[in-house]
Amino acid sequence: MTRQALSRKIINTCLEMTRLGLNQGTAGNVSVRYKEGMLITPTGMPYELMTEESIVYVDNNGVYEKGKLPSSEWLFHLAVYQARLDCNAVIHNHAKHCAAVSILEKDIPAIHYMIAVSGTDHIPCVPYATFGTSQLAQYVKEGIKESKAILLSHHGLIAAETNLDKALWLAHEVEILAEWYMKLLATNQPIPLLSKANMVAVLEKFKSYGLRIEEK
Ligand SMILES: C[C@H](O)[C@@H](O)[C@@H](O)C(=O)COP(=O)(O)O
Ligand SMILES: [Zn+2]
């Protein structure tokens, strides 16, 4: 895909993220792996105002185009691409239920077999660090090796996948799981979890299940 087409796709993903209720205001950011770096949304710009020209190229050394300012979270986007060679798209948001679970500093455990969309048996919550810092990027780098979706304590969600459509799908699935988890926690009842063996069986089945969401 050309840079122009990828940039349009990034903006459409941002708009769809808002339409799905996964984000508010200028929170969140989206990137795709591109050449020797990535294309990423600019910092602090409402998604509706973005044009293809607003999208910023940042190389693997963190050097970006003159006259443009990339997302304040470019460090953790690069960290994901370094940690996961299987992932080409990264979405970050402040989805309501993901953020709520992250404020409790909790992982989302195996409450439902769809947890396996993360590629493992839980959605980890990585420690808190100030947004935009190398400390946060370091926590993200460790967490994302374990799972394609992670919660950032007192902040939100990161979802990484092979393409933007899949990353958006993953972010949506995790928000639903987070909503169920918050509702379960509110019952004050013990929460039964699927066993390791249950989750291993689902993870195995997912390897051949029709989860292929190709680029539109
Ligand atoms: C303060 C920022 O909103 C921060 O939360 C960041 O993580 C975010 O979600 C959006 O920042 P950018 O507009 O710089 O991408
Ligand atoms: Zn954020």
Side-chain angles (χ1 to χ4, degrees):
M1 239 191 258
T2 62
R3 172 172 176 166
Q4 175 92 0
L6 278 171
S7 299
R8 176 41 49 196
K9 184 100 196 139
I10 288 173
I11 297 167
N12 289 345
T13 302
C14 294
L15 294 171
E16 186 65 3
M17 185 158 70
T18 303
R19 195 190 67 77
L20 289 167
L22 297 178
N23 212 27
Q24 316 85 38
T26 62
N29 27 71
V30 173
S31 72
V32 290
R33 197 190 285 277
Y34 182 73
K35 295 195 170 167
E36 303 304 312
M38 64 183 173
L39 292 172
I40 189 164
T41 45
T43 188
M45 185 184 283
Y47 297 141
E48 311 77 51
L49 300 183
M50 286 180 197
T51 66
E52 286 88 334
E53 286 64 43
S54 316
I55 304 300
V56 190
Y57 175 68
V58 181
D59 76 14
N60 289 330
N61 298 314
V63 177
Y64 47 85
E65 297 166 292
K66 284 207 178 68
K68 292 188 184 185
L69 266 187
S71 165
S72 56
E73 304 290 17
W74 65 267
L75 271 171
F76 77 51
H77 283 255
L78 269 193
V80 174
Y81 295 123
Q82 283 164 7
R84 298 220 45 143
L85 299 180
D86 57 329
C87 292
N88 302 308
V90 177
I91 288 182
H92 163 58
N93 66 32
H94 298 182
K96 285 183 214 141
H97 299 91
C98 287
V101 178
S102 85
I103 291 163
L104 295 174
E105 300 181 359
K106 282 181 179 294
D107 297 353
I108 308 178
I111 51 171
H112 189 285
Y113 72 85
M114 284 298 279
I115 285 282
V117 294
S118 65
T120 184
D121 61 4
H122 66 293
I123 312 286
C125 183
V126 305
Y128 178 78
T130 307
F131 79 92
T133 59
S134 52
Q135 178 66 80
L136 181 58
Q138 193 52 43
Y139 290 144
V140 167
K141 195 169 187 174
E142 288 313 309
I144 208 81
K145 285 179 191 163
E146 205 185 338
S147 167
K148 288 185 284 186
I150 58 175
L151 301 177
L152 311 181
S153 284
H154 303 268
H155 190 159
L157 169 81
I158 295 179
E161 257 293 1
T162 52
N163 64 44
L164 280 170
D165 289 335
K166 283 190 185 178
L168 183 61
W169 170 83
L170 177 59
H172 194 212
E173 288 294 335
V174 176
E175 174 60 1
I176 290 165
L177 290 161
E179 181 172 4
W180 291 340
Y181 190 41
M182 286 306 293
K183 285 185 174 157
L184 290 164
L185 289 170
T187 66
N188 265 326
Q189 299 290 313
I191 303 174
L193 299 180
L194 293 171
S195 66
K196 282 261 176 211
N198 290 148
M199 290 305 296
V200 166
V202 177
L203 285 161
E204 196 51 39
K205 272 189 89 71
F206 269 9
K207 287 182 188 163
S208 56
Y209 181 71
L211 289 173
R212 289 180 205 91
I213 301 174
E214 306 304 340
E215 292 278 4
K216 278 173 240 149

